[in-house]
Amino acid sequence: MYRTIRTGSSRTPTIVAAVGASPNRLPRNLTRLDKSVDGALSTALVRPGFDGKRGEIVFGDESAVLIGLGDIDTLDAQALRDLGGRLIKALYRARVKAVQIEVAASIRAKVLSTDAVGQALAEGLVLGNWKMEAYRGTAAKGDAADGVLMISSSDAATRGGLRRGVILGNATNEARRVGATPPNVSNPPWMAKQARALARNTKITTRVISATELKKQGFGGLTAVGQGSDSPPCLVVMEHKPARAKKGVHLVLVGKTVTYDTGGYSLKINNGMKGMKYDMCGGAAVLGAMQALDALKVPVHVTGVLACAENMVSGNAYRPDDIITMYNGVTVEVTNTDAEGRLVLADALAYSCKKLNPTHLMNAATLTGGVVVALGEWCAGLWCGDDGFRRTLEHAADSTGERLWRLPLWKEHRDFMRSRHADLWNSGPRRAAHPIQGAAFLSFFVDEDVPWAHVDIAGPATTDFALPTAAIGPTGFGTRLMAETAARLAH
Ligand code: BES
Ligand code: ZN
Ligand code: ZN
């Protein structure tokens, strides 16, 4: 793996990558380029063994690599990302230091804009290059990440796409780094530190509401969930407010940031706790999205809110049967301390509605195991009652390849969340429609006139097997989706 991937030209020997080459015939727009590399492309092309099939990566000679895309009619951005993810490994194995990416014109015009082709390829290169390096010790196997890869193109639109793709890939990888950081390091104060570091390096401003303030201001959910831990809970508020932001739009992104979920006194059993360091992946995605919005200078006002707490067991932890009062005054009977995500999110959503005046409100959360049972790890569950906002999200998801699938939320689901001892309970006594119970609970904390989307990312937030664009572990799911959603709200 490379240490860094950057856009720009390089004086080191550059290899030309012909994307969409077909055997024995050079795409018309690459003929001139071929001359500048002394015919390397055409020599490579006539070598035996290149069929132009999708995913084929063949080094022609020292200065050319041919990349097949196969049938153009079935080509989409995700196929290009996967290809980028495969290409990066081939380039690294060949110790390539600089690559000039040239796309066959027939392909760019037909299915995607030139810019989108460049972006998808670069996203794939950067995503496919990620692995967690921070915990390599003295017995580590394999190479440490090393070297820089420069990527460029002779075509301006492709170059623009490459630049965007590198930014979005890096933002996603940042979410993965935060996600993969173990819970003995990554606790609520550590999350606040990551958000402050982002503010130092960008135009984003970060505020942190401390545990003492949370308690004073009535954040009953965050306080209860966090009180069993030696690391105090906090609410992190990050603001991206460019000077030329689109008037009348304010997107608020809320992330479940439970840095570890033991289940609390409703303890996770049968090793169900293992992997619960990933229970902050919603927050990590919000953080990554904020980084991307700043780097891309997306002209929309966006605020990111991280509801940070660690769900632990101790003499001071909250219990089943506790009744707590939330930020908006709603009372909740705790029936299950493992349904903690909705408690921290509820406060953050109510706070967002009361203090931030959102025109669009979205939350990302590893909220329920039930959504994984229902949908697997190939998509996130989506709840959104506002048709316009939902369409924006679904279009954004189509273009970023982070799939969403809508589930219902009816009055019956909401009524099921009413408790005999308080306004609500945080989990019903039956397992009926578990993922929807989470959505129904949250709906009591969002003002009715605010278009709101709940995205349950418990499935796609992590992967158990290596993909072309993701190593085993956190995927950074939601980072690009949220950045793209913001960009779409700008027009
Ligand atoms: N963090 C979990 C959800 C989860 C489970 C995420 C598996 C990723 C993989 C959440 O806090 C939780 O424990 N949810 C419970 C809810 C139940 C107690 C109402 C669940 O899904 O079982
Ligand atoms: Zn839980
Ligand atoms: Zn949880």
Side-chain angles (χ1 to χ4, degrees):
M1 303 291 163
Y2 294 96
R3 196 162 30 75
T4 325
I5 298 174
R6 273 200 214 115
T7 47
S9 51
S10 159
R11 251 168 282 152
T12 56
T14 299
I15 188 163
V16 177
V19 178
S22 39
N24 307 320
R25 200 174 50 87
L26 205 58
R28 228 180 310 135
N29 63 316
L30 300 189
T31 335
R32 198 155 40 123
L33 184 85
D34 189 37
K35 295 203 182 88
S36 73
V37 291
D38 299 327
L41 284 175
S42 37
T43 351
L45 216 53
V46 296
R47 293 257 167 92
F50 180 71
D51 298 323
K53 292 207 189 83
R54 182 166 307 165
E56 243 182 13
I57 299 169
V58 176
F59 285 82
D61 64 12
E62 271 172 17
S63 50
V65 58
L66 306 175
I67 293 142
L69 289 181
D71 181 15
I72 297 177
D73 294 329
T74 62
L75 188 72
D76 59 9
Q78 193 53 38
L80 289 165
R81 277 182 212 106
D82 287 347
L83 201 103
R86 294 205 170 86
L87 180 59
I88 193 70
K89 280 130 201 157
L91 293 174
Y92 185 74
R93 270 196 303 277
R95 293 293 183 269
V96 172
K97 295 273 186 283
V99 62
Q100 183 178 330
I101 294 176
E102 304 298 342
V103 182
S106 51
I107 280 140
R108 334 189 282 219
K110 187 112 184 220
V111 266
L112 291 157
S113 68
T114 313
D115 179 88
V117 172
Q119 181 180 327
L121 281 167
E123 282 178 13
L125 289 168
V126 174
L127 294 173
N129 186 57
W130 185 79
K131 70 176 184 211
M132 187 63 171
E133 282 283 286
Y135 296 93
R136 286 179 65 87
T138 52
K141 264 173 75 177
D143 300 342
D146 183 37
V148 178
L149 176 71
M150 299 297 294
I151 59 176
S152 62
S153 176
S154 68
D155 174 73
T158 309
R159 276 202 301 275
L162 292 174
R163 200 190 129 260
R164 293 174 54 81
V166 167
I167 288 172
L168 288 159
N170 280 332
T172 307
N173 288 348
E174 170 64 2
R176 291 170 173 182
R177 178 189 69 82
V178 171
T181 301
N184 54 329
V185 175
S186 148
N187 54 28
W190 186 87
M191 285 301 310
K193 200 169 141 196
Q194 306 313 300
R196 286 203 182 93
L198 182 65
R200 244 194 332 276
N201 304 322
T202 64
K203 291 207 165 70
I204 288 168
T205 54
T206 295
R207 294 183 285 130
V208 178
I209 305 181
S210 72
T212 333
E213 271 305 307
L214 289 176
K215 197 165 180 179
K216 223 189 289 170
Q217 293 179 31
F219 289 82
L222 267 161
T223 302
V225 173
Q227 74 194 28
S229 169
D230 286 349
S231 307
C234 60
L235 191 83
V236 177
V237 183
M238 296 168 284
E239 193 173 21
H240 165 79
K241 197 174 186 185
R244 268 193 313 251
K246 164 110 175 174
K247 293 243 156 34
V249 178
H250 182 201
L251 172 66
V252 174
L253 305 170
V254 176
K256 171 177 174 183
T257 315
V258 171
T259 60
Y260 200 69
D261 183 12
T262 66
Y265 274 102
S266 313
L267 201 65
K268 288 192 181 288
I269 53 165
N270 296 332
N271 214 26
M273 207 182 289
K274 182 74 178 69
M276 282 301 139
K277 68 169 178 176
Y278 298 131
D279 215 16
M280 32 62 68
C281 283
V286 170
L287 195 82
M290 297 306 289
Q291 174 180 316
L293 291 170
D294 176 84
L296 294 169
K297 300 192 168 63
V298 176
V300 194
H301 181 199
V302 181
T303 303
V305 178
L306 310 183
C308 307
E310 187 184 33
N311 190 18
M312 297 291 277
V313 175
S314 85
N316 193 41
Y318 79 139
R319 310 148 270 253
D321 284 335
D322 282 3
I323 293 177
I324 57 183
T325 303
M326 310 292 282
Y327 187 77
N328 64 351
V330 171
T331 58
V332 176
E333 178 196 9
V334 177
T335 46
N336 190 322
T337 61
D338 198 10
E340 84 299 339
R342 59 198 71 180
L343 296 174
V344 300
L345 280 176
D347 272 349
L349 289 170
Y351 169 83
S352 299
C353 287
K354 183 158 178 221
K355 299 285 189 185
L356 302 177
N357 224 346
T359 58
H360 300 81
L361 177 61
M362 170 178 181
N363 68 264
T366 49
L367 203 69
T368 65
V371 82
V372 193
V373 175
L375 300 173
E377 49 182 79
W378 304 282
C379 69
L382 168 68
W383 288 262
C384 183
D386 184 275
D387 291 342
F389 189 32
R390 191 178 69 245
R391 267 194 293 275
T392 303
L393 278 160
E394 286 174 339
H395 287 143
D398 276 345
S399 69
T400 68
E402 294 156 290
R403 288 198 185 110
L404 299 175
W405 198 258
R406 190 188 186 193
L407 290 165
L409 171 48
W410 296 309
K411 183 177 178 297
E412 287 82 350
H413 297 117
R414 282 167 52 88
D415 286 342
F416 187 64
M417 300 314 289
R418 296 186 191 276
S419 158
R420 250 175 299 152
H421 307 289
D423 297 348
L424 304 176
W425 51 33
N426 72 332
S427 173
R430 291 186 294 120
R431 285 192 77 78
H434 241 163
I436 308 180
Q437 288 190 36
F441 181 87
L442 294 178
S443 72
F444 285 92
F445 301 87
V446 177
D447 291 352
E448 248 167 65
D449 55 345
V450 178
W452 165 62
H454 160 49
V455 182
D456 192 337
I457 63 168
T462 59
T463 179
D464 293 334
F465 39 85
L467 300 164
T469 54
I472 291 170
T475 58
F477 184 100
T479 304
R480 290 176 301 114
L481 176 66
M482 288 189 273
E484 177 67 25
T485 299
R488 279 169 192 260
L489 292 176
H491 5 86

